[in-house]
């Protein structure tokens, strides 16, 4: 609606800004397509600022959105990306600035494909299909290698030639499949399951050369990812080149940057292994030799000790000690015997001196009655009684006179 204004009756800037804001407020939400030229995501801020530009007309408009709106596509949207935004126009009156408040952002073209893949990646990751603890180690020397690859492709040639160059005796079980197009997923899944069911296949390689994102989409298919996660046999993903990263790389037990790299990681190099064996053998020989040298030095040191050079010296020293102890014990025993003999002689002399026999030897006699009782008083005998007189050299009978 036109306003009645003039130079004499102008509107204040604030009123004009308010009116413009009211007009814009009545506009509904719109879908806008453009290219992101500026992107500002301040750490901790709840709002993301970006500039949407129309490259055909060189016109730009500011866009704001809450962080959770942008986080939904943050992994696939960056500066330079083309997007479709569902937003409502807003007018910031203090600065007189028009912007769009976005409630949804969608990538355009390849970005949309990447967004879907990113969503599938988050879903499968939440189920634990990409967890590191699910990864199984590859066998050191596989009995037979399963190979899923395009027919007569450079990837097949690279894997076979490099593997046989590294280990000529390696054997392969090859399954040629479509690696792009509508039949690729079903054929790759079938080949992987078939190889997983063979008991003599120790590892499976899924290989393909480089290509566009659309060409590599079969190797990010959910059906293939789940089939690989259910395999009992370790799986190696060798899809495209180093920058390529299909979902198969995440679920496989090992990711190889190229088919050639897959051959190097699955099959050991015979020359390197022979060199490693030689190195380990030399190392073992040096270790054993060092042990022998150390023990030999220890033995020489032990033999150089005096006790080993003159082993009889210890016996001789102990023999001298024993002789000294025997002599000492004999001397002590002799002294003890001499003293005991002397004491015995003195005791014997004392006993003899006190013995009645010694008294009788000096001429005394002992009178005994017939019952053996000793007569010690004249009153103990009667006249005419017979007694025994015991002297030093014998005895004789006596009779008591009246």
């Amino acid at each position: 609606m036109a306003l009645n204004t003039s130079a004499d009756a102008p509107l204040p800037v604030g009123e004009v800004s308010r009116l413009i804001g009211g007009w814009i407020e009545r506009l509904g939400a719109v879908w806008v397509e453009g290219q992101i030229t500026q992107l500002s995501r301040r750490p901790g801020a709840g709002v993301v600022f970006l500039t949407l530009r129309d490259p055909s007309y060189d016109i730009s408009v500011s866009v704001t959105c809450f962080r959770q709106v942008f986080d939904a596509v943050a992994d696939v949207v960056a500066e330079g990306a083309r997007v479709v935004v569902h937003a409502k126009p807003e007018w910031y009156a203090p600065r007189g600035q028009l912007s769009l408040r976005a409630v949804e952002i969608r990538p355009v073209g390849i970005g949309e494909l990447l967004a879907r893949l990113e969503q599938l990646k988050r879903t499968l990751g939440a189920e634990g299909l990409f967890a590191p603890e699910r990864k199984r180690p590859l066998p050191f020397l596989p009995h037979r290698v399963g190979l899923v690859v395009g027919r007569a492709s450079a990837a097949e040639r690279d894997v076979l030639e490099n593997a046989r160059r590294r280990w000529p005796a390696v054997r392969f079980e090859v399954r040629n499949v479509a690696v792009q197009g509508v039949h690729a997923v079903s054929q790759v899944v079938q080949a992987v399951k078939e190889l997983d069911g063979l008991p003599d296949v120790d590892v499976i390689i899924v290989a393909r050369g480089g290509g566009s994102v659309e060409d590599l989409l079969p190797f990010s298919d959910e059906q293939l990812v789940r089939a690989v996660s259910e395999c009992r046999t370790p799986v190696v993903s060798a899809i495209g080149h180093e920058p390529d990263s299909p979902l198969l790389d995440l679920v496989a037990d090992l990711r190889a940057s190229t088919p050639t790299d897959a051959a190097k990681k699955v099959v050991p190099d015979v020359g390197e292994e022979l060199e490693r064996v030689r190195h380990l053998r030399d190392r073992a020989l040096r270790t054993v030799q060092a042990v022998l040298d150390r023990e030999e030095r220890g033995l020489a040191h032990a033999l150089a000790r005096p006790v080993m050079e003159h082993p009889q010296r210890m016996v001789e020293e102990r023999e001298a000690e024993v002789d000294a102890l025997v002599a000492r014990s004999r001397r002590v025993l002799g002294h003890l015997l001499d003293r005991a003999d002397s004491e015995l002689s003195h005791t014997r002399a004392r006993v003899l001196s006190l013995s009645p026999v010694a008294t009788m030897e000096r001429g005394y006699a002992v009178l005994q009655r017939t019952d053996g009782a000793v007569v010690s008083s004249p009153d103990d005998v009667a006249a005419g009684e017979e007694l025994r007189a015991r002297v030093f050299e014998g005895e004789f009978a006596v009779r008591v006179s009246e």
Side-chain angles (χ1 to χ4, degrees):
M1 181 181 293
L3 297 176
N4 294 323
T5 60
S6 65
D8 296 328
L11 289 176
V13 173
E15 180 64 17
V16 174
S17 180
R18 185 187 65 80
L19 292 174
I20 294 175
W23 294 334
I24 293 176
E25 185 69 24
R26 291 191 291 271
L27 295 176
V30 294
W31 287 96
V32 182
E33 179 182 352
Q35 183 180 24
I36 298 177
T37 56
Q38 292 182 352
L39 178 61
S40 175
R41 299 175 64 189
R42 296 186 181 91
V47 178
V48 177
F49 300 88
L50 53 94
T51 300
L52 206 60
R53 179 176 177 272
D54 187 341
S56 301
Y57 298 95
D58 198 18
I59 296 175
S60 301
V61 63
S62 297
V63 179
T64 62
C65 65
F66 290 110
R67 177 171 289 274
Q68 56 266 30
V69 174
F70 188 83
D71 286 346
V73 294
D75 295 332
V76 294
V77 170
E79 291 188 4
R82 294 183 66 89
V83 294
V84 174
V85 177
H86 191 211
K88 188 178 185 304
E90 289 184 345
W91 179 259
Y92 186 63
R95 293 185 182 178
Q97 183 177 355
L98 175 67
S99 64
L100 300 177
R101 170 70 68 170
V103 295
E104 184 180 355
I105 301 175
R106 295 182 183 179
V108 176
I110 190 64
E112 186 176 356
L113 296 176
L114 295 177
R116 289 203 300 269
L117 290 179
E118 188 63 29
Q119 180 60 39
L120 178 60
K121 175 182 175 181
R122 285 197 289 265
T123 301
L124 298 178
E127 296 180 16
L129 268 63
F130 307 147
E133 55 269 18
R134 290 176 55 92
K135 309 297 182 183
R136 291 159 295 187
L138 302 186
F140 168 70
L141 183 59
H143 179 72
R144 187 182 294 270
V145 179
L147 177 61
V148 180
V149 70
R151 185 180 302 277
S153 62
E156 179 180 6
R157 184 177 62 254
D158 290 345
V159 173
L160 296 180
E161 290 183 357
N162 283 279
R164 287 167 179 161
R165 188 180 300 118
R166 293 172 61 84
W167 197 276
V170 65
R171 293 187 296 172
F172 277 90
E173 191 72 27
V174 181
R175 295 292 183 271
N176 295 118
V177 297
V179 292
Q180 66 183 65
V182 293
H183 302 294
V185 174
S186 60
Q187 292 186 13
V188 174
V189 169
Q190 180 181 355
V192 169
K193 290 183 177 180
E194 182 179 345
L195 292 174
D196 186 48
L198 298 178
D200 59 342
V201 172
D202 297 325
V203 62
I204 300 173
I205 300 176
V206 182
R208 187 200 189 284
S212 63
V213 175
E214 293 86 349
D215 293 338
L216 301 181
L217 280 178
F219 298 96
S220 294
D221 187 85
E222 182 178 359
Q223 181 184 359
L224 176 59
V225 172
R226 293 189 181 278
V228 170
S229 70
E230 296 171 357
C231 284
R232 295 170 300 176
T233 308
V235 177
V236 177
S237 174
I239 306 301
H241 302 297
E242 182 67 33
D244 301 321
S245 183
L247 298 185
L248 180 62
D249 287 350
L250 303 178
V251 73
D253 297 287
L254 179 66
R255 176 188 183 269
S257 57
T258 61
T260 300
D261 184 48
K264 294 180 179 179
K265 290 182 176 179
V266 169
V267 180
D269 184 271
V270 63
E272 293 177 359
E273 297 306 318
L274 288 175
E275 178 62 23
R276 185 177 291 109
V277 170
R278 186 194 64 79
H279 175 72
L280 292 175
R281 183 179 59 193
D282 293 344
R283 180 180 176 184
L285 181 61
R286 290 194 299 271
T287 302
V288 172
Q289 188 62 48
V291 172
L292 292 176
D293 292 343
R294 184 177 67 249
E295 296 301 323
E296 185 178 7
R297 289 193 299 270
L299 180 59
H301 177 71
L303 292 176
R305 299 180 63 183
V307 69
M308 297 300 294
E309 288 185 343
H310 304 285
Q312 69 279 5
R313 178 178 298 176
M314 182 181 295
V315 178
E316 294 173 352
E317 293 176 353
R318 296 298 179 268
E319 183 181 10
E321 293 178 2
V322 170
D323 292 341
L325 292 173
V326 169
R328 180 181 176 185
S329 63
R330 286 178 176 173
R331 289 194 301 272
V332 171
L333 181 59
H335 294 326
L336 293 176
L337 291 176
D338 292 343
R339 186 172 61 184
D341 182 66
S342 177
E343 292 178 353
L344 181 59
S345 299
H346 286 84
T347 303
R348 182 174 178 274
R350 290 177 60 189
V351 170
L352 291 177
S353 63
L354 298 176
S355 173
V357 177
T359 302
M360 289 187 295
E361 185 179 3
R362 293 196 298 271
Y364 292 90
V366 177
L367 294 178
Q368 292 178 313
R369 302 176 70 176
T370 56
D371 58 0
V374 176
V375 178
S376 59
S377 173
D379 296 333
D380 293 337
V381 297
E385 183 180 356
E386 289 187 0
L387 301 175
R388 302 291 298 175
R390 186 176 179 183
V391 295
F392 176 70
E393 293 184 355
E395 60 182 23
F396 54 87
V398 296
R399 183 180 297 272
V400 179
S401 62
E402 295 181 359

